[in-house]
Amino acid sequence: MGMFKKALLAGAVLLMAAGSTLAADVKIGFIVKQPEEPWFQDEWKFADVAAKEKGFTLVKIGAEDGEKVQSAIDNLGAQGAQGFIICTPDVKLGPGIVAKAAANDLKVMTVDDRLVNADGSPIEDVPHMGISATKIGEAVGQTLVDEIKKRGWDMKDVGAIRVSYDQLPTAVDRVDGALSVLKAAGFPEANIFDAPQAKTDTEAALNAATVVLNKNAAIKHWVAVGLNDEAVLGAVRASETVGIPADSMIGVGIGGADSAINEFKKPTPTGFFGTVIISPKRHGYETALNMYEWVANEKEPEKLILTAGQLALRDNYEAVRKDLGIE
Ligand code: FCA
């Protein structure tokens, strides 16, 4: 090879190196607020698939509070990571997370729960993938209305438990979406009871729903809504504890991970009637891939992606999961 050709080749190699980072040098964090929740386990699982496929390193970190979030980000910076995806334990940590990421020279995008500014408005600069919360809530509400009618219940004899976590905007959109459909179908507003949960898990929802049921012992039939399957399962468990028969409770959750599936697998139906399955594959695999493309090829992710859900009941959940590629 002549000198000229050699020089050209060397130049080309240099150019390639400047334009992209080698996959093996890419390290991406995936921080979640509730690592024990099946939804987040599934997100991690699918993010791992992306890491394997592309050959980058994925660092999975659980961070249940603000302090843990701060140290997780510092830790990623110290490890030489280039970016991270986060589902924050508190959306109000938004400005702090953005600042911490910048201080550590890390790219950041959010999943599930969108960061907010001090005034409560979403931080639009940070790329986000969430669910279409209102629409999915409406699907929950429609399922409840259809089932109430099918069972021949008079709406005025039915109570609705609104398991609530109102500091989280997506949670408000989900439950209010569901209740708007109930109300439009004639469900009396006075029969809707707030059950504020201290945390977004089943135990907290059970405690909150028990208070509502004990206070309203005269009501015979119940429906339950909440931000996720865990919330609705808490209400269902509460109804069992106070002795409401399974066929007098209709709970419809959101999620479709193991918490819901295990319920469908029980030999006798419980009050957990259905769930709107959302896609941990999109939220885990796609966000990890988007972050990788951003780090390795400077391809910035879309600022806002909202994913859809699909209703599943006891008798068709396997088919729905298959359809979504998450069996
Ligand atoms: C929130 C909820 C999770 C899941 C996710 C998509 O983070 O807490 O359970 O529903 O949105």
Side-chain angles (χ1 to χ4, degrees), residues 57-74:
T57 305
L58 187 80
V59 185
K60 292 169 285 198
I61 308 174
E64 293 90 346
D65 58 45
E67 234 169 85
K68 288 195 178 127
V69 168
Q70 300 274 332
S71 62
I73 300 172
D74 281 339

Side-chain angles (χ1 to χ4, degrees), residues 81-317:
Q82 296 94 343
F84 66 95
I85 299 135
I86 183 168
C87 178
T88 178
D90 179 356
V91 292
K92 289 202 188 76
L93 297 170
I97 290 172
V98 170
K100 250 296 176 235
N104 282 284
D105 200 17
L106 291 162
K107 294 182 164 55
V108 56
M109 60 184 282
T110 52
V111 70
D112 306 334
D113 300 352
R114 200 175 187 195
L115 304 177
V116 300
N117 292 298
D119 66 359
S121 63
I123 300 186
E124 288 174 350
D125 264 1
V126 175
H128 175 70
M129 183 186 280
I131 67 167
S132 8
T134 302
K135 249 181 124 181
I136 286 171
E138 287 166 358
V140 168
Q142 194 55 53
T143 308
L144 292 174
V145 168
D146 293 347
E147 191 58 22
I148 288 172
K149 286 187 179 155
K150 201 167 151 202
R151 294 186 190 190
W153 295 352
D154 188 331
M155 297 238 189
K156 69 175 188 330
D157 301 331
V158 185
I161 305 177
R162 176 186 185 270
V163 178
S164 58
Y165 194 72
D166 288 348
Q167 56 269 57
L168 181 60
T170 182
V172 176
D173 293 346
R174 295 176 200 187
V175 292
D176 287 357
L179 294 172
S180 72
V181 174
L182 272 173
K183 285 186 261 183
F187 197 93
E189 186 120 29
N191 292 8
I192 300 173
F193 304 96
D194 234 27
Q197 52 179 168
K199 249 185 94 177
T200 56
D201 63 8
T202 300
E203 197 192 336
L206 189 157
N207 294 336
T210 303
V211 175
V212 168
L213 291 171
N214 283 336
K215 262 196 198 155
N216 300 281
I219 296 180
K220 251 179 51 198
H221 303 303
W222 287 93
V223 298
V225 301
L227 99 148
N228 56 16
D229 290 330
E230 283 72 16
V232 171
L233 276 171
V236 170
R237 294 288 94 88
S239 69
E240 291 162 353
T241 313
V242 303
I244 292 167
D247 60 4
S248 274
M249 160 60 86
I250 311 168
V252 177
I254 295 171
D258 274 353
S259 346
I261 302 309
N262 291 340
E263 200 67 14
F264 291 149
K265 282 184 180 157
K266 291 182 176 169
T268 325
T270 69
F272 191 83
F273 180 72
T275 183
V276 178
I277 299 191
I278 51 181
S279 176
K281 187 178 181 185
R282 295 207 58 196
H283 287 232
Y285 176 85
E286 264 181 53
T287 53
L289 207 62
N290 289 350
M291 180 52 80
Y292 172 77
E293 288 297 334
W294 196 4
V295 168
N297 301 318
E298 283 162 45
K299 215 178 120 204
E300 223 184 297
E302 269 176 63
K303 289 288 189 214
L304 183 62
I305 301 173
L306 298 178
T307 61
Q310 211 171 315
L311 176 70
L313 306 177
R314 223 179 135 77
D315 58 3
N316 73 349
Y317 72 90

